[in-house]
Amino acid sequence: MLQATGVAALLRGKVASADDTLIRQGGSPQNLATPIEYFDRLITPTSVFFVRSHFGPPALDRTRKTVIDGMVKTPLTFSVDELKRSFPEVTVTAVLQCSGNGRSLHRPTVPGLQWTHGAMGQATFTGVRLKDVLEKAGVDKDAMHVRMVGADAPPKPSVPAFIRSIPIERAMDPTTVLAYRMNGEELTLGHGAPLRLVVPGWAGDHWVKWLVGIHPQPKEADGFYMQVAYRMPIGPVEPGAAVSPDRTKPATAFPVKSIIARPGGGGAGGAGVKRPIGPQEVVGIAFSGHAPIQSVEVSIDDGKTFAPAKLEGEAGIGRAQVFRFRFDKKEAGHVKAIVRAKDKKGNEQLETPLWNPSGYFWNGWHSAEWEVGS
Ligand SMILES: Nc1nc2c(c(=O)[nH]1)N[C@H]1C(S)=C(S)[C@@H](COP(=O)(O)O)O[C@H]1N2
Ligand SMILES: [Mo]
């Protein structure tokens, strides 16, 4: 079957391991979610890193060339090997998160892949700065956006191609990278080999995989995936209301978020998880696409009071830190832990995040429940 072939292609070229347990999210061709318990560490292993592809990968070709043309003085063409020889190598640690992550939690519900929390992860991405490459090509002053084209083709001509653009300032940002390695290993096909775009702090749809074209141009890219999809309402909207496209703007930086990995596995789904009486530890990750994390707080009294959790790892925009919160439970009973984070620009998680018609950027307070017994 086509779907089985797609997954086989995705898994090819990577070491199978005992924890190779992505969750099939449904939809075709391959949308695989990371189990929540992996969000207890700074780096999500590649073997369990979520995958989101509209059409599935093209054939693996590590010699494939990427073209830079359009509003440049000198059009360039390069393979990954040529890139490595021509530009300094950089590594960024960043959260890759689909804008639809958490969609299933919006009320009223919205159509689309019903992700809970598994469409995110943090990895190290190694490659060259897009800025360095664009400077070598010499971008015209009037180029305001850079259009990105992947090698994956829609299943039929009537389906729009996955074409995206980012504003020129974002393209020239030193953290924006053309990556060929992920978590220290060659990029896998599922994650965009041989070359993908990495835009730390911005939603995954900007992180174009299987890059073949980089084109500075005067305007945002045309087409469905830039002008209709991946857009947020300009102002707040009534839950359930329709929003006309001219009242929307591209969904770019993802909002501040914190997720409990354990215990409990999140939400009321933790029923059945049991811990002995005594010290308890709540662990998870927190990040914001707008600013470094300022604080993470946990409540164990149903949201009446919150106390600060300890943070681990380096702070940064679009960079996840691990949080840990310890408390003592002296008698048996049910525990519910609620987490919320704040970033250094003062953005805070809302208990119930703003609804939008595409169900993007859910970042409500997350909770986990478990039983404490002897
Ligand atoms: N060429 C191409 N790039 C793509 C996509 C795609 O379908 N085609 N999907 C995007 C979306 S919506 C997301 S969330 C991320 C997912 O990256 P991952 O599969 O490496 O986790 O890739 C992005 N890049
Ligand atoms: Mo996405």
Side-chain angles (χ1 to χ4, degrees):
M1 261 187 54
L2 246 172
Q3 288 202 349
T5 317
V7 173
L10 163 78
L11 298 177
R12 209 177 298 137
K14 90 181 184 203
V15 184
S17 61
D19 61 1
D20 219 348
T21 48
L22 283 156
I23 301 163
R24 279 202 73 83
Q25 187 60 48
S28 78
Q30 49 178 214
N31 300 298
L32 306 170
T34 302
I36 196 164
E37 57 267 27
Y38 286 97
F39 302 134
D40 67 345
R41 61 197 84 176
L42 290 170
I43 297 294
T44 313
T46 306
S47 59
V48 289
F49 205 100
F50 89 97
V51 177
R52 167 63 175 130
S53 297
H54 291 80
F55 318 124
L60 178 59
D61 175 6
R62 294 203 188 267
T63 64
R64 186 182 291 128
K65 303 234 177 191
T66 302
V67 174
I68 301 193
D69 63 11
M71 294 176 75
V72 296
K73 279 164 201 75
T74 318
L76 300 175
T77 300
F78 49 76
S79 65
V80 164
D81 280 347
E82 288 159 350
L83 265 188
K84 287 180 183 169
R85 283 199 293 273
S86 313
F87 301 98
E89 189 169 87
V90 293
T91 297
V92 294
T93 302
V95 170
L96 166 51
Q97 178 177 224
C98 183
S99 47
N101 194 28
R103 177 179 288 123
S104 67
L105 304 166
H106 277 291
R107 293 294 175 271
T109 56
V110 295
L113 288 173
Q114 296 301 303
W115 302 105
T116 46
H117 304 298
M120 64 179 200
Q122 173 154 273
T124 64
F125 295 94
T126 301
V128 302
R129 288 190 185 94
L130 176 57
K131 173 182 189 285
D132 291 349
V133 178
L134 288 174
E135 279 171 356
K136 178 142 195 202
V139 179
D140 293 357
K141 273 204 242 7
D142 303 334
M144 304 308 283
H145 297 265
V146 182
R147 180 165 51 97
M148 304 287 171
V149 181
D152 50 336
K156 48 184 180 184
S158 57
V159 176
F162 187 76
I163 293 172
R164 301 277 308 160
S165 65
I166 59 172
I168 191 75
E169 314 80 63
R170 185 67 238 219
M172 300 307 274
D173 184 304
T175 67
T176 303
V177 165
L178 300 172
Y180 41 75
R181 292 170 80 78
M182 175 175 173
N183 288 341
E185 286 173 6
E186 262 190 314
L187 201 58
T188 61
L189 181 61
H191 294 297
L195 192 67
R196 86 171 305 164
L197 188 64
V198 167
V199 192
W202 283 24
D205 40 283
H206 300 89
W207 299 43
V208 175
K209 302 194 273 193
W210 313 299
L211 255 185
V212 285
I214 299 175
H215 313 289
Q217 58 180 49
K219 287 196 191 138
E220 247 176 37
D222 291 328
F224 177 80
Y225 288 108
M226 202 65 209
Q227 297 306 324
V228 180
Y230 302 123
R231 299 181 76 88
M232 286 286 274
I234 286 165
V237 297
E238 207 50 49
V243 178
S244 77
D246 60 313
R247 305 282 305 145
T248 64
K249 57 171 193 252
T252 56
F254 46 74
V256 59
K257 186 173 204 173
S258 55
I259 293 291
I260 298 170
R262 62 181 157 78
V273 174
K274 214 164 171 181
R275 289 278 178 279
I277 289 173
Q280 310 288 314
E281 187 186 57
V282 182
V283 185
I285 55 170
F287 54 84
S288 164
H290 295 281
I293 288 295
Q294 168 73 41
S295 63
V296 175
E297 297 178 319
V298 175
S299 172
I300 48 167
D301 58 6
D302 216 21
K304 284 192 270 301
T305 61
F306 282 82
K310 284 208 169 70
L311 293 174
E312 292 168 11
E314 222 176 285
I317 300 170
R319 186 161 179 159
Q321 289 185 275
V322 165
F323 67 83
R324 251 174 238 285
F325 181 80
R326 294 194 172 119
F327 64 97
D328 214 32
K329 183 91 171 89
K330 294 197 166 62
E331 71 282 348
H334 186 78
V335 180
K336 179 181 183 185
I338 305 174
V339 66
R340 67 179 189 197
K342 196 188 278 188
D343 72 22
K344 287 195 192 292
K345 278 196 178 147
N347 300 301
E348 288 181 68
Q349 285 181 255
L350 297 176
E351 189 169 1
T352 305
L354 298 179
W355 185 92
N356 62 92
S358 299
Y360 295 143
F361 291 166
W362 185 92
N363 69 331
W365 296 357
H366 187 226
S367 62
E369 299 180 42
W370 68 98
E371 302 302 325
V372 170
S374 44

